[in-house]
Amino acid sequence: MGKKIMIVDDSPTILASMQTILERAGHAVTKASSGEEAVGTLKGGLKPDLVITDYHMGAMNGIDLVREVRRLPGLTFVPILMVTTESQQEKRTDAKAAGATGWLVKPVQPEALLQVIKQVVPGA
Amino acid sequence: MRGPLPNLADASVGYRYVTGTLLALVLLGGAEGLLALLLGLEMKQVVSLLVGSWLAVAAAAWGVYWVLSTPRLASGRVEILRQQPLHLRRVGYDRYFILVALSVAFISWAVLRLGLALADVKLAPAAEGAFLAGLGLALSICFVLLRPSALRQIERTERLGFVEDLTAAPSSLLSSALASGDGQKMDRALSRIGLVSEELSHCRLLLDVLRGQTGNVSVETEDAALNIILQLNTIDSRIRGMVDYLDQAGRTTMELMDRAESRMEENRRILRDFLENRTMAVMESTRQLTDLQAMTTDLTKVVDAVRQVSRQTSMLAINATIEATRAGDAGKGFAVVAAEVKQLSRNSDSLAVTIQSGITRLNDALRDTMRKVIEGRIESEKNGLEQISHSVTQMSGDIRQVMTSQRDVLQNIHQESEKIAAPVMSLIGSIQFQDITRQQLQHVNGAMEALQNHALELEGYLQDLDTDIDPASFKHKMDEMVDTYVMSQQRNLHATATGGAAAEDKGMMIELF
């Protein structure tokens, strides 16, 4: 079943690529090119079933975004996936501590991404 | 002489050193005199105290001067200190001075004691304390006065050290030029410095170009990647459109095939019915023929009867003639009649025979001709109809075959189209490489920017000897770079190039917490 997914990344390439993959699989996609923009959209009332975010972005990085999202009402338990080139183990642990649901290393295969979504989003 | 210690060969420093020492002595004298008055010491004691302390301080100061002026003695310590970064060198200097100060203090105090003992003068503990306090004060003043210039010396030698690194010449040229004070060598060293400075500005320009180009690569690959995704999207929708169309075409084909089937079936039924009707019509004709034949049989019977009658009549005539002859003349008339009757019967008999043969001929003709015509027609009609039916069945079979193969072809195309869709989707995923490229280029760009800034700083170093900045070495800059790395691939490359330890690439590509 199609879900509402929000993707956050400062690279237009990643946004376009993921949007294509997800929309082909029947999901509805909202894009944001920075952490601040994402928080703005979420505060404006969007309640996605899943958030996918990069780590290294501008002023607000992925982990900060995770913390911010978890603070918003209704989004405390929304699954959040980090999709990033970052390879340090400590950063993974930080993400886990901040409340992220999963960690994927770029580049992500389309089938793998869709599989993960099926696993973490109930009813997908 | 070079080193982080005060260069006492330098006139200004030497001047300061002497002034400082004199000032210290004066202050010492003043302090001790004050304390002596307060403590109520005897004049003799005070004088001996003063003299002793002055001697001690002077001796110590001269000793220090001598030590520091000796290049060989100082250089060993210089090397060790020189390898430290600036802030440690400052600490080193401070510590060194404190060490020297304490040594001076101790030596002074020892000499004082000795002097007093030789002069056979007893000194009160209070006076001794006052002396040491005063000495401490004097040394502190020296320290404060000398420190700024000493630190400047440290930095100057630091800069000189850098210049040597830059020129990649062994330390001999510049250091020996400076140490020997040889004017010519100094000039050469300075011109080299000027040259290097100019080269650095060119280096900065080159880095500008490189940065511009790497930045450009990022932008262009991003545009290209987005374009590729757009094109792939178009391909994907076109393929989907085609597949939908093929599905529709396949369905239509099936419908057509079914309709054709039922049409064929109907045609066959019509033919069968037609054939049956014709057979029945033929059977009707055959029956009519049989009726006709029956009628001719009846006619034959009638002819037979007529012949029978004529025979009988002939018999009668014969009998009558015979009777007539018996009758004589009276019977002559009768004999004539009888003869005519006989003739008549003979005529009718032959007529009957003629009719009979005519009927027979007709019968035969009917039978043969009609039979031929009817049966022939039946046969040829039957053949014709059978052929039509056969062709219709064959045509039906052909159409079915064509439509089946068409459906198979459509299915094949359908499958092939779906096969294309999968690689297209995978390709859209692979475009993500562009983002990784961009990040790597960003790092390279950042490193080049750092390099540019560093070159600018170096230029400043070389051109203005009073410029005061923190000269972190390239190695430190590279260590800083490692901290900004994100990908393990970057760390491994860096480690390979610099000979460090490669980072372990632990961790799976996908991990659910």
Side-chain angles (χ1 to χ4, degrees):
Chain A
M1 206 189 86
K3 293 286 167 190
K4 282 185 289 185
I5 304 181
M6 171 172 228
I7 27 179
V8 189
D9 197 311
D10 56 351
S11 157
T13 313
I14 298 289
L15 286 176
S17 164
M18 287 222 183
Q19 181 180 22
T20 308
I21 295 168
L22 294 173
E23 278 180 353
R24 281 276 167 273
H27 300 296
V29 169
T30 314
K31 295 189 285 193
S33 15
S34 71
E36 292 89 353
E37 193 184 324
V39 170
T41 312
L42 289 170
K43 279 189 177 151
L46 176 73
K47 291 266 180 292
D49 300 308
L50 169 70
V51 176
I52 299 178
T53 173
D54 190 11
Y55 187 106
H56 292 286
M57 303 181 286
M60 184 191 278
N61 71 16
I63 289 194
D64 293 336
L65 179 63
V66 170
R67 290 199 192 104
E68 272 299 315
V69 169
R70 291 266 174 257
R71 254 182 244 142
L72 294 173
L75 295 172
T76 318
F77 299 110
V78 69
I80 305 180
L81 294 175
M82 314 279 308
V83 177
T84 173
T85 53
E86 177 57 62
S87 67
Q88 272 189 325
Q89 204 60 22
E90 301 92 65
K91 301 274 189 335
R92 267 194 215 217
T93 329
D94 290 343
K96 185 174 176 178
T101 314
W103 179 280
L104 291 84
V105 179
K106 282 182 195 166
V108 178
Q109 292 303 313
E111 308 84 49
L113 178 63
L114 293 171
Q115 268 306 110
V116 170
I117 289 175
K118 279 211 186 78
Q119 273 183 276
V120 302
V121 181
Chain B
M1 185 206 90
R2 66 182 172 93
L5 306 167
N7 182 7
L8 296 168
D10 186 348
S12 62
V13 178
Y15 173 70
R16 282 219 183 102
Y17 193 83
V18 167
T19 317
T21 314
L22 284 173
L23 191 62
L25 289 172
V26 164
L27 284 170
L28 180 65
E32 282 175 352
L34 211 64
L35 275 164
L37 281 169
L38 285 170
L39 293 167
L41 294 171
E42 282 182 13
M43 207 52 202
K44 202 169 97 171
Q45 274 185 324
V46 172
V47 167
S48 54
L49 176 70
L50 279 173
V51 169
S53 62
W54 280 350
L55 279 172
V57 168
W62 186 84
V64 167
Y65 182 86
W66 179 74
V67 163
L68 294 182
S69 310
T70 312
R72 248 184 319 130
L73 275 173
S75 64
R77 209 167 304 265
V78 164
E79 268 311 308
I80 295 165
L81 277 176
R82 197 175 153 257
Q83 277 157 22
Q84 309 289 324
L86 180 69
H87 61 284
L88 286 180
R89 273 185 244 188
R90 285 185 182 135
V91 169
Y93 169 77
D94 293 342
R95 285 183 193 159
Y96 193 80
F97 194 96
I98 289 167
L99 188 67
V100 167
L102 285 174
S103 312
V104 165
F106 179 73
I107 293 166
S108 312
W109 178 74
V111 167
L112 173 71
R113 268 300 180 114
L114 189 66
L116 288 173
L118 284 171
D120 202 20
V121 173
K122 236 12 187 93
L123 195 63
E128 225 173 299
F131 164 70
L132 285 170
L135 187 64
L137 182 65
L139 287 167
S140 309
I141 292 166
C142 275
F143 176 73
V144 165
L145 283 175
L146 289 173
R147 195 167 188 268
S149 59
L151 290 179
R152 253 204 290 280
Q153 282 295 318
I154 292 171
E155 280 148 39
R156 279 203 191 133
T157 54
E158 186 58 42
R159 272 184 226 149
L160 290 176
F162 256 144
V163 169
E164 283 171 29
D165 284 340
L166 281 172
T167 57
S171 42
S172 51
L173 171 67
L174 286 162
S175 57
S176 63
L178 290 160
S180 63
D182 183 346
Q184 225 183 21
K185 279 196 183 168
M186 289 280 281
D187 280 339
R188 286 224 321 268
L190 285 170
S191 73
R192 281 203 184 193
I193 291 169
L195 193 75
V196 168
S197 175
E198 209 181 297
E199 285 294 289
L200 281 172
S201 69
H202 291 147
C203 193
R204 280 196 297 123
L205 283 173
L206 175 65
L207 284 170
D208 251 343
V209 170
L210 292 175
R211 285 184 66 201
Q213 287 177 348
T214 51
N216 212 29
V217 168
S218 251
V219 167
E220 285 193 354
T221 53
E222 185 168 286
D223 288 342
L226 287 171
N227 199 28
I228 290 174
I229 291 177
L230 203 68
Q231 299 300 327
L232 289 172
N233 265 337
T234 311
I235 292 174
D236 197 58
S237 359
R238 293 256 167 83
I239 289 173
R240 274 171 193 256
M242 191 168 74
V243 166
D244 286 343
Y245 172 76
L246 290 174
D247 278 342
Q248 184 59 38
R251 270 198 294 275
T252 312
T253 307
M254 290 312 293
E255 275 169 36
L256 283 175
M257 224 156 66
D258 289 341
R259 236 185 291 168
E261 270 291 303
S262 57
R263 273 282 167 72
M264 290 301 150
E265 193 49 49
E266 210 179 295
N267 285 341
R268 273 199 288 273
R269 191 176 52 78
I270 288 172
L271 282 173
R272 259 200 317 272
D273 287 351
F274 182 70
L275 205 61
E276 249 175 46
N277 281 342
R278 294 305 296 157
T279 312
M280 273 175 43
V282 158
M283 275 165 62
E284 180 71 25
S285 300
T286 315
R287 195 172 51 77
Q288 280 170 354
L289 172 68
T290 317
D291 284 351
L292 269 169
Q293 282 184 329
M295 243 197 301
T296 55
T297 313
D298 287 345
L299 274 172
T300 311
K301 280 195 187 133
V302 165
V303 166
D304 278 344
V306 164
R307 285 190 76 190
Q308 181 79 3
V309 164
S310 90
R311 251 198 313 273
Q312 280 180 347
T313 311
S314 177
M315 272 331 274
L316 268 172
I318 292 172
N319 283 344
T321 311
I322 293 170
E323 292 300 314
T325 338
R326 276 197 205 136
D329 286 323
K332 270 198 193 132
F334 190 68
V336 170
V337 168
E340 281 187 11
V341 166
K342 201 172 161 197
Q343 188 62 40
L344 185 69
S345 93
R346 234 184 261 144
N347 288 343
S348 48
D349 193 50
S350 64
L351 200 63
V353 169
T354 311
I355 291 171
Q356 176 66 33
S357 65
I359 289 172
T360 309
R361 264 205 312 279
L362 179 67
N363 203 13
D364 286 343
L366 268 175
R367 201 185 52 224
D368 291 337
T369 311
M370 275 197 80
R371 200 151 267 162
K372 272 199 196 110
V373 163
I374 286 168
E375 281 184 356
R377 222 191 310 154
I378 290 174
E379 274 313 302
S380 67
E381 259 189 19
K382 209 163 138 209
N383 279 342
L385 289 174
E386 266 180 8
Q387 252 185 1
I388 290 172
S389 176
H390 193 63
S391 315
V392 162
T393 310
Q394 192 151 23
M395 196 160 65
S396 161
D398 286 345
I399 288 175
R400 174 166 265 280
Q401 209 173 11
V402 162
M403 292 207 160
T404 309
S405 64
Q406 192 177 357
R407 189 193 59 198
D408 289 344
V409 163
L410 288 176
Q411 249 181 7
N412 260 345
I413 296 173
H414 197 294
Q415 277 172 6
E416 289 302 311
S417 311
E418 307 240 292
K419 276 194 218 163
I420 294 172
V424 164
M425 200 44 60
S426 177
L427 206 57
I428 290 179
S430 308
I431 297 291
Q432 293 173 24
F433 83 86
Q434 191 274 340
D435 181 48
I436 294 170
T437 307
R438 176 186 66 94
Q439 287 188 22
Q440 288 172 333
L441 284 173
Q442 256 177 3
H443 277 114
V444 168
N445 220 324
M448 286 200 281
E449 192 180 351
L451 204 61
Q452 265 188 319
N453 291 336
H454 199 58
L456 188 62
E457 286 174 5
L458 291 176
E459 271 185 86
Y461 265 144
L462 295 178
Q463 283 160 9
D464 179 10
L465 291 180
D466 286 323
T467 316
D468 196 11
I469 52 176
D470 183 7
S473 69
F474 273 126
K475 181 157 192 318
H476 293 131
K477 281 266 155 68
M478 286 185 84
D479 291 338
E480 279 164 21
M481 264 177 79
V482 170
D483 287 336
T484 64
Y485 284 151
V486 165
M487 305 174 223
S488 57
Q489 184 200 48
Q490 290 172 319
R491 293 196 189 97
N492 286 337
L493 277 171
H494 186 101
T496 311
T498 59
E504 278 179 67
D505 193 4
K506 288 183 283 197
M508 305 155 275
M509 294 285 287
I510 297 177
E511 187 179 341
L512 293 179
F513 296 139

